[in-house]
Amino acid sequence: IKTVDEMRSVFSALDTDGQGSLSKEELQEGLKKGGWRLDEAALENMFKGLDNNHDGEINYLEWISATLQPQLIDSTRNMREVFDWFDEDG
């Protein structure tokens, strides 16, 4: 799915240390590069909203969950494509 691939690319670009997750600092730097300036409270709220498991990092699954538009996965065919894309054991 093109949109999933685009979101993976964005995530990878934000993940500057290559650890497979985003720190608050990486998110902030990415937002700055994109022209977004958030104060500390807004950044904290955004980060907490993305960090669903509250481990202090945004993993790829949290990122995808937050960034995919619901209408993209509203059909059975699209849901199957998303599932197959994530399915690692076939």
Side-chain angles (χ1 to χ4, degrees):
I1 296 176
K2 183 179 178 184
T3 303
V4 173
D5 289 336
E6 290 170 350
M7 292 293 81
R8 180 184 287 256
S9 294
V10 171
F11 182 86
S12 295
L14 293 173
D15 182 20
T16 56
D17 66 6
Q19 296 295 310
S21 61
L22 304 178
S23 66
K24 190 181 345 177
E25 292 75 21
E26 286 172 316
L27 180 62
Q28 183 176 36
E29 281 303 309
L31 290 170
K32 281 182 186 177
K33 287 180 183 177
W36 291 78
R37 301 282 187 245
L38 298 180
D39 62 35
E40 189 60 33
L43 177 66
E44 184 67 26
N45 285 336
M46 177 184 281
F47 191 82
K48 284 182 178 179
L50 293 169
D51 183 19
N52 293 325
N53 65 4
H54 311 289
D55 68 351
E57 300 282 325
I58 301 166
N59 65 43
Y60 181 67
L61 199 51
E62 291 169 323
W63 173 258
I64 279 295
S65 297
T67 56
L68 274 180
Q69 297 173 11
Q71 62 268 28
L72 294 176
I73 57 172
D74 66 354
S75 74
T76 302
R77 182 177 151 265
N78 286 343
M79 287 178 66
R80 172 48 77 190
E81 285 184 37
V82 170
F83 176 79
D84 289 345
W85 195 88
F86 282 109
D87 185 20
E88 295 180 355
D89 60 3

